[in-house]
Amino acid sequence: MNQDYIVPNNWSIIEEGFEADRLKSSESIFSIGNGAMGQRANFEEHYSGKTFQGSYVAGVYYPDKTRVGWWKNGYPEYFAKVLNAPNWIGINVTINGEALDLAACKEVRKFRRELNMKEGWLSRSFEVTLQNSIDLKVETKRFLSLDMDEVGVIQYNITPLNNDAQIVFEPYLDAGITNEDSNWDDKFWNILSVDSEGDQAYIVSHTMITNFHVCTAMQTQLSLNGKVVNANKSINKTDKTIAFEYSSQVKKDDTLTLTKFGGYTVDRYHDKNDLIPVAKKTLSKASKLGFDQMLEDQKAAWAKIWKMSDITIEGDVRAQQGIRFNIMQLNHTYIGKDARLNIGPKGFTGEKYGGSTYWDTEAYCIPFYMATKDQEVARNLLTYRYNHLEKAIENAEKLGFKDGAALYPMVTMNGEECHNEWEITFQEIHRNGAIAFAIFNFHRYTGDFSYIPEKGLEVLIAIARFWKQRATFSTYRNKYVILGVTGPNEYENNINNNFHTNYTAQWCLNYTLEIIEKMKDDYASDLKRVVDKTKLLDSELSDWKEIASNIYFPYSEEHQVYLQQDGFLDKELITVKDLPRSERPINQTWSWDRILRSPYIKQADTLQGFYFFEDQFTMEELERHFDFYEPFTVHESSLSPCVHSIQAAKLGRMEQAYQFYVRTARLDLDDYNHEVEEGLHITSMAGTWMSIVEGFGGMRVIDDKLSFKPQIPEQWDSYSFKINFRNQILKINVGKTETKLELEGDKAMDILVNGKVVTIKPNDMVTV
Amino acid sequence: MNQDYIVPNNWSIIEEGFEADRLKSSESIFSIGNGAMGQRANFEEHYSGKTFQGSYVAGVYYPDKTRVGWWKNGYPEYFAKVLNAPNWIGINVTINGEALDLAACKEVRKFRRELNMKEGWLSRSFEVTLQNSIDLKVETKRFLSLDMDEVGVIQYNITPLNNDAQIVFEPYLDAGITNEDSNWDDKFWNILSVDSEGDQAYIVSHTMITNFHVCTAMQTQLSLNGKVVNANKSINKTDKTIAFEYSSQVKKDDTLTLTKFGGYTVDRYHDKNDLIPVAKKTLSKASKLGFDQMLEDQKAAWAKIWKMSDITIEGDVRAQQGIRFNIMQLNHTYIGKDARLNIGPKGFTGEKYGGSTYWDTEAYCIPFYMATKDQEVARNLLTYRYNHLEKAIENAEKLGFKDGAALYPMVTMNGEECHNEWEITFQEIHRNGAIAFAIFNFHRYTGDFSYIPEKGLEVLIAIARFWKQRATFSTYRNKYVILGVTGPNEYENNINNNFHTNYTAQWCLNYTLEIIEKMKDDYASDLKRVVDKTKLLDSELSDWKEIASNIYFPYSEEHQVYLQQDGFLDKELITVKDLPRSERPINQTWSWDRILRSPYIKQADTLQGFYFFEDQFTMEELERHFDFYEPFTVHESSLSPCVHSIQAAKLGRMEQAYQFYVRTARLDLDDYNHEVEEGLHITSMAGTWMSIVEGFGGMRVIDDKLSFKPQIPEQWDSYSFKINFRNQILKINVGKTETKLELEGDKAMDILVNGKVVTIKPNDMVTV
């Protein structure tokens, strides 16, 4: 645990003091991104200690050849992964011939890092005594521009403190990079050209196999005490790198500054022959604007983000810091401009999980993006899956399904399945349900039905076809069963009749039938088009109805709960509180078979179903199931505590809800699971947001109306959040005794607060 | 399928004609071995086509680092595998400057291979026209000596047919070999010295990590028309190889012969500093005996093996050839001299499965070795597990068991677990039962109880402790359940209450209690010693009794059968005959999840329990279970058909029994599963033997008496087999109408034939 390492602050993530052992963790936590690229908080100057270098370009991936011990039919041959991209941030620094290297100097003092969340930049400052006894002060600041998303900027200041010094700056580009996470040590990049022109340099390279062309570029500028210096430089070139070398004699207390503009142009957006010309133009524009103006623009762009998505918490600075960190990192990862992109579980902060798309997007992220961005953004996330429909059908075919049934991949970059554990890849099929649910959820929240006739129905039909073929009629039970699945709780594999999966399957079938029924009246020609395209038969509809009406759910009369799966009650039902603390997390101390035999639940499973489909269960049912399953839940998935937090809040158990909230909000800042060095848990950050908005705030959409049941944790004085609901912005401020609702918009809005209708006029505030 | 490729012959395996596409398959089928070493049927001379080189030394292995996609706690770090050992058979041949290479010559004629099973040798002959138009006749013969098990001998004859020719023989040793099956391309061997002295050469090398020292050695001799030639040779040495070069001008129709004695001395049997001296002495002795005498000795040694273990079949040459091939290959693999060795599933014929020990030994091989060798051999196989007991306890500890519970590894070389699929390694725990069963079986067959007080009881206690901890009390069922297992049928993973596993567990607990009870009276001091050593508590005995008495078995009232596992009836019960032929074997055409959901059974599972414990079930029960499960059994394990064959015979369904027999007997000769090139299915060959002896012959041991219920397949005129029963040899000859029993021994023997006692006097024959 990292607890108390990060300095509590409402608007900044701050690290004070240099600890080499925490370096890789801090490199994750202080990561920055702008949706188009991302950068771990690696030092610009050379560092000879342990570091995990990571620069990432959205959508540029490599299909790494699958590595398994024992091959199973149906495994994909490749695992697409986001690639570590050529390094554009590097600036080697030499002082009187000695390299500046925090792992090799005499002493580091006053080391401080700040990730300013309000304004969107990362700074670092320290004083250092080199082996040659020169004392220096170093101050750097960098950001990835939101406005010009192909550009990042670094300002690197050095001040000699005890002597004049010969300072050499060597800003460079390096395309000779490798991936931490590589199965076979393949070569991922092929370098095409290394060039420079004036103050700019360019390396064009392409990924092997996928053949993405990327130009990595930089433009540099030297200043002394704030004034641009027309410096001579030499150029050092290899077949993989290019560096400019500026050598200056600097007086004690003078400050030498290198400003570096850099980044990537990619053939996903430009013709591959234009990559250098575009890079040239973009860097020229950036350098003309200059560091200061670009920083102002960055602040303005972040102000716009916060205006729509900020959550404030009074009286609990750690909680405040946590939620803003989550919101910021989500925005680093995905902004919603490009429907071909999605939200990798680690965003641009690490390589684990390959940067690919999981069901996390539909189950956790879409609510956040629906409420904090324009509707178009969530629609783009739906369109992403629509665009992958054909591949999802192919994926199902590989597993023996037919006639247009689709199984969306567990993990994907381009629509093809990338994962290779049979118990997950082939069996964790509830993901298909989450993709259908997101369509429903988008319509429920935005009121925009148009996506469904346009694209969604095709997806729903293909998913319904999958469930039809995946269900088995058990003559023994005279019911349809679903055998051999892994539910959201991955601590059970190859189980039968997982409640969550069966319920989701039933819901998908019913929802698709309902949509078709609705479209018969209102969207007849769209329906006809889709029916023709998908060759949908009437007999399929009756099959779906038959299955949905006769699906089996394991149920315990004794406990009056749905069982997570067949046979759950055969387990030794010892609760988590009776598990020795030393044995947790069990995924680090127990063998896999022991985990599987145990009743322990990695993440909300039955309760995840109660979360998705809560209006279909009574409060008493929720309470019974929560009381039955919570005691067995170890929350060893980052996606678990938020669901339990929301449900605890719904049940009025605010202290428990708050504990779950803190666990999810500061998961990475406090490094709960000793793994933050691998990267941040981006997708679960959207769950944190849900914990406040849907949990404490009790936000729901009921019959086209927003509804709230505000509660507040004892530890807080007040909190507020904003919601973009159907193009009007509602701000909710919840205090100890009252809730204030403010509307920015142009139409009056009827809102349910604790079940009572409250009407708010545009640009007015109501206190309840 | 290879059917009709191997020429039918009662005593030989014969291949006629050269087919490069079948080369790797034939290299497996024509493999030879002598229990101490083995050799695939690779050509002596260079072959530039596709080949799978394999020379193996018993017990010399390497711990290859585990390769998995997703690590699970509890996985072993290494997979010990038998190593491809330095090549001692190689003889390069050059004719007028052109290398003899069957892949590169003009024409190959009259290619013929014969594996003479009666006499224990492999020959090869062919005529060839080289690119340089020289016609040659080549005849080779080789064998691995049974009497001197560190030595193999090759005689290589060349006769120029159309011209005089300059023939260069270059016999060599090559330690620069690799493994086909290697996870990380590690280097397995380190070479210490390459030397020669006179006509002998030696390479000493050791395996990395395990540090086995091996001297690979050869001695060579040149003859012309059968007369030894005192030839000059040159010596070609590299850091990995050594070769002698003999160059001779040979007249048309003269025959030049190279005789090569070679093999290995290993520090498992000699001091590592003595390896060269021992090799020197051994080769000198062999060459003094000479090829012809050694061949005579080999014939005699094989005659001895056949005397005890031959099975004759009249009227069905393919069946006859099949069973002798099986018996021969079992003897190639394991002879029983060394209790540290065991029977790898592929013997010395390939690298798959690492040459390690599986439960195959206890479940399939021990009956063969008990009946065809001295009792000591089977006892050695039991001792092997006794010697691994400590490691089995450690293995269980790694998975969270304690207090002396043992889980024997799924796959092992030195007692440590080597396998790395959680569903197998952690869950296929019935193997523990097979190890206990073998102890019972040995006592039942041999009447020798002494192994149990001496060693067996410790093993039984450790296994009983495992079952005690592995069972879970289900308050719901008020019974003990066993959750999360894989039964013998590996087409089901992580299932609950597998009948076979639960029954085996119950049996182990009861048997251990029974043994302890028996020893209280007759072996009190041994019992005390073991109780003290294992710290066995009385409370453990009552726990075992409690569990054994209350273990749960899934049962179908409707079908009146035990269910293979919980939920089996939920499956779509379509029988194998309704499976399109094109989809079989399903393990090559279906995705893994589909296999798991299906009712298809890879190998006898419930029926394996009925096989082990048949005296605990009625004939009606067997029939019901056979009729229920056989239709779902795809027999995609080589270990399956033999069990079904035995049970079909027991049920009097001789045609079905015969079909299963043929499938198991000629599995490799006919290459049923398109995989014989990887090596032979050695352990299932013991199942073939059981099909005849226990199936058709109906042999059982009942109350210390041999019992037979002889039947004969319609296709056969008669068959016979021999049984070493308690140091007397009984020969049973079964004809269409009568059965003859002959006894070689010194005491009269009471035998049950079809339930009636028949007394046979020593060296007498009885006809029934």
Side-chain angles (χ1 to χ4, degrees), chain A residues 70 73 420 422 493-494 587, chain B residues 70 73 420 423 493-494 587:
Chain A
W70 304 89
N73 284 335
N420 59 341
W422 62 265
N493 294 154
N494 194 38
N587 68 17
Chain B
W70 304 88
N73 284 337
N420 59 342
E423 60 271 27
N493 295 154
N494 194 37
N587 68 17

Side-chain angles (χ1 to χ4, degrees), chain A residues 314-370:
Chain A
E314 300 292 327
D316 188 343
V317 63
R318 296 181 77 250
Q320 173 70 79
Q321 188 178 35
I323 186 63
R324 284 200 175 120
F325 181 68
N326 286 283
I327 295 168
M328 178 192 63
Q329 289 293 359
L330 282 161
N331 277 284
H332 281 170
T333 305
Y334 185 77
I335 296 185
K337 289 185 195 169
D338 182 345
R340 295 172 302 171
L341 298 178
N342 209 288
I343 306 148
K346 299 226 167 282
F348 301 122
T349 70
E351 294 167 15
K352 213 178 168 187
Y353 308 122
S356 302
T357 309
Y358 287 64
W359 73 297
D360 304 26
T361 294
E362 283 76 14
Y364 296 88
C365 299
I366 280 187
F368 170 80
Y369 284 103
M370 285 198 299

Side-chain angles (χ1 to χ4, degrees), chain A residues 67-70 72-74 79 183-184 353 358 398-401 419-423 426-427 469-470 472-477 481 483-484 492-497 552 558 566-567 569-573 586-597, chain B residues 67-70 72-74 79 183-184 353 358 398-401 419-423 426-427 469-470 472-477 481 483-484 492-497 552 558 566-567 569-573 586-597:
Chain A
R67 188 182 75 203
V68 294
W70 304 89
K72 305 280 188 198
N73 284 335
F79 191 131
N183 287 337
W184 301 100
Y353 308 122
Y358 287 64
K398 279 182 200 157
L399 301 185
F401 298 89
H419 198 63
N420 59 341
E421 276 177 301
W422 62 265
E423 59 272 26
F426 304 156
Q427 296 206 325
Q469 294 172 38
R470 191 56 166 75
T472 301
F473 184 71
S474 163
T475 47
Y476 168 68
R477 293 193 195 273
V481 294
L483 304 178
E492 300 281 354
N493 294 154
N494 194 38
I495 52 176
N496 295 336
N497 294 310
Y552 169 73
E558 182 192 347
D566 284 351
L569 289 183
D570 274 340
K571 291 167 180 282
E572 197 176 17
L573 297 173
I586 58 172
N587 68 17
Q588 290 178 16
T589 64
W590 283 19
S591 70
W592 188 246
D593 61 311
R594 195 172 171 198
I595 290 176
L596 291 175
R597 289 198 300 281
Chain B
R67 189 181 75 203
V68 294
W70 304 88
K72 304 280 189 200
N73 284 337
F79 192 131
N183 287 337
W184 300 101
Y353 308 122
Y358 287 64
K398 277 182 202 158
L399 302 186
F401 298 90
H419 199 63
N420 59 342
E421 274 177 303
W422 63 264
E423 60 271 27
F426 304 156
Q427 296 206 324
Q469 294 172 39
R470 190 57 166 74
T472 301
F473 184 71
S474 163
T475 46
Y476 168 69
R477 293 193 195 273
V481 294
L483 304 178
E492 300 280 354
N493 295 154
N494 194 37
I495 52 176
N496 295 336
N497 294 311
Y552 170 73
E558 183 192 347
D566 284 350
L569 290 182
D570 273 340
K571 291 167 179 283
E572 197 176 19
L573 297 173
I586 57 171
N587 68 17
Q588 289 178 17
T589 64
W590 282 20
S591 69
W592 189 245
D593 61 311
R594 195 172 172 196
I595 290 175
L596 291 176
R597 290 199 298 282

